[in-house]
């Protein structure tokens, strides 16, 4: 068992959540049980994940995508009402970290994706920014675009969209998990051979083709499974609590 406040304070300090201006509140979003014995982690606090956490007997649900995003309606109706009702009825804490979990140098989404893929990290996608959301680095050996697409598919369990801006091999790479297709311009400025993110927009295709860079959209959900899972494993070891990562598949 660990006190809710102890676990939350530890996460806030570990992820330096107060240092970020984000699109949602980071930290404890819904208060539940005071004592935490079992922790469930997942990417998004959908109804399916909330229900799965309840079924698993968890006292805390830790996610990357929580609630209360900027610009959303302020009323507690529809799916928001149903999700919150489930959390409150079952005394289930909801803890969420967005940008702090993308950026962290050990359990962050971008570092964890690099470790999964075997990419070396050379620096941030935003040079000079110590909290750069994306990263850049190198592959262990140069490969062609089709080979990298296959590696992503094998690791993430999803076929990526590959826009081949040229036919040259890929050695230098930049990446940012989630919906960061707009950061392709930063990758282009770094002079890398390829840029990997989760999603794609119509202008991204033209940017890749006209700037001669490989682009891969490997799935928002698929690229962001690994940070919250790593954080959950770290918390379980640190506090001696039970942890279960639950993957509610999302094709986007």
């Amino acid at each position: 068992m660990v006190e809710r406040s102890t676990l939350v304070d530890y996460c806030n300090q570990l992820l330096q959540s107060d240092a970020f201006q984000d699109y949602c509140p980071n930290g404890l979003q819904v208060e539940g049980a005071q004592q935490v014995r079992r922790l469930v982690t997942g990417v998004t606090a959908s109804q399916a994940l909330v229900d799965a956490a309840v079924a698993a007997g968890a006292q805390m649900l830790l996610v990357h995508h929580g609630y209360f995003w900027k610009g959303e309606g302020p009323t507690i109706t529809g799916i928001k009402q149903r999700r919150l009702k489930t959390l409150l009825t079952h005394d289930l804490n909801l803890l969420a970290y967005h940008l702090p979990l993308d950026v962290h140098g050990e359990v962050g989404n971008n570092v964890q994706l690099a470790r999964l893929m075997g990419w070396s990290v050379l620096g941030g996608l935003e040079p000079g920014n110590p909290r750069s959301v994306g990263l850049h680095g190198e592959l262990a050996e140069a490969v062609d675009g089709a080979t990298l697409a296959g590696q992503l598919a094998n690791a993430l369990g999803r076929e990526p969209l590959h826009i081949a801006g040229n036919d040259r091999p890929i050695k230098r790479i930049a990446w940012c998990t989630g919906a960061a297709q707009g950061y392709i311009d930063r990758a282009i400025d770094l002079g890398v051979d390829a840029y990997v993110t989760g999603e794609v927009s119509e202008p991204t295709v033209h940017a890749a083709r006209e700037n001669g860079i490989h682009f891969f959209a490997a799935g928002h959900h698929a690229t962001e499974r690994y940070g919250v899972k790593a954080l959950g494993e770290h918390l379980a070891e640190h506090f001696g609590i039970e942890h279960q990562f639950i993957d509610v598949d999302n094709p986007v």
Side-chain angles (χ1 to χ4, degrees):
M1 288 277 193
V2 60
E3 288 277 342
R4 175 190 63 236
S5 60
T6 300
L7 193 153
V8 172
D9 289 346
Y10 179 84
C11 287
N12 289 342
Q13 183 175 2
L14 176 69
L15 299 175
Q16 297 182 318
S17 58
D18 289 342
F20 291 84
Q21 291 186 344
D22 211 335
Y23 313 104
C24 62
N26 288 296
L28 186 65
Q29 293 190 339
V30 179
E31 185 176 284
Q34 185 173 345
Q35 299 284 334
V36 178
R37 175 176 56 85
R38 180 171 296 171
L39 170 70
V40 164
T41 58
V43 178
T44 299
S46 63
Q47 187 69 53
L49 181 59
V50 172
D51 290 343
V54 170
Q59 294 78 44
M60 179 170 284
L61 174 60
L62 170 61
V63 299
H64 181 48
H65 302 137
Y67 303 154
F68 314 116
W69 298 90
K70 289 181 180 178
E72 73 176 27
T75 56
I76 308 300
T77 57
I79 65 172
K80 185 188 295 185
Q81 184 271 348
R82 295 191 291 273
R83 292 172 174 181
L84 291 172
K85 182 177 180 180
T86 306
L87 290 167
L88 294 170
T89 298
H90 295 279
D91 213 17
L92 180 60
N93 293 283
L94 177 64
L95 191 60
Y97 294 97
H98 186 232
L99 290 180
L101 191 58
D102 287 320
V103 169
H104 194 268
E106 290 296 326
V107 299
N109 284 320
N110 286 289
V111 165
Q112 288 295 318
L113 180 61
R115 291 177 181 173
L116 178 72
M117 297 302 302
W119 302 336
S120 64
V121 177
L122 298 180
L125 189 55
E126 305 167 89
N129 181 1
R131 297 189 180 90
S132 175
V133 178
L135 299 171
H136 72 93
E138 290 186 345
L139 279 62
E141 60 181 34
V143 298
D144 61 27
T147 298
L148 182 55
Q151 291 172 350
L152 286 164
N154 289 335
L156 302 179
R158 180 158 308 144
E159 292 290 336
L161 172 69
H162 173 210
I163 305 300
N166 62 69
D167 58 1
R168 297 188 299 274
I170 299 166
K171 178 67 172 178
R172 299 173 299 163
I173 189 168
W175 64 96
C176 187
T177 62
Q181 60 269 43
Y183 285 6
I184 190 172
D185 292 334
R186 298 177 183 178
I188 292 166
D189 289 342
L190 287 172
V192 298
D193 304 312
Y195 177 58
V196 177
T197 186
E199 296 189 30
V200 64
S201 297
E202 197 271 349
T204 319
V205 176
H206 304 297
R209 288 172 175 169
E210 294 176 32
N211 287 282
I213 186 174
H214 291 272
F215 172 81
F216 299 86
H220 191 141
H221 177 91
T223 57
E224 293 196 324
R225 292 186 188 111
Y226 306 100
V228 71
K229 182 180 180 182
L231 178 57
E233 292 170 350
H234 172 81
L235 295 172
E237 181 178 358
H238 185 80
F239 289 110
I241 59 176
E242 299 175 22
H243 168 244
Q244 181 182 358
F245 173 75
I246 298 178
D247 188 27
V248 177
D249 187 53
N250 186 325
V252 172

